[in-house]
Amino acid sequence: MTGFSVRCRPDAVEIAVSDASPDLPRTPGTLAFVPGGFGWLVINRLAARTEISASHERKTITAYVTLAGAAPDA
């Protein structure tokens, strides 16, 4: 089973993605032609915090992206 949700918190946007793989995310190796892991690298650069919830059948990765202050009125 897969899933996707977005919630707006007072100080962050919470983005959760679930998939049917129990494999934990990994950082890519040094070889650019080896697939996989690049999404995890991007998430960790953008998110203030990440959480992983895993079982033997699936995993959910939740990323918290900090909200900047509202733009001042011009």
Side-chain angles (χ1 to χ4, degrees):
M1 177 175 274
T2 61
F4 176 82
S5 69
V6 177
R7 291 186 178 97
C8 190
R9 305 287 184 191
D11 61 343
V13 174
E14 177 187 308
I15 305 161
V17 178
S18 300
D19 65 30
S21 170
D23 297 337
L24 297 178
R26 62 182 178 82
T27 302
T30 57
L31 302 175
F33 60 85
V34 176
F38 293 99
W40 183 237
L41 184 65
V42 170
I43 290 297
N44 281 291
R45 297 242 183 204
L46 296 176
R49 184 180 86 204
T50 56
E51 297 174 356
I52 302 170
S53 173
S55 71
H56 65 280
E57 296 176 348
R58 61 181 285 147
K59 71 177 168 296
T60 299
I61 298 173
T62 305
Y64 298 87
V65 179
T66 304
L67 294 173
D73 293 332

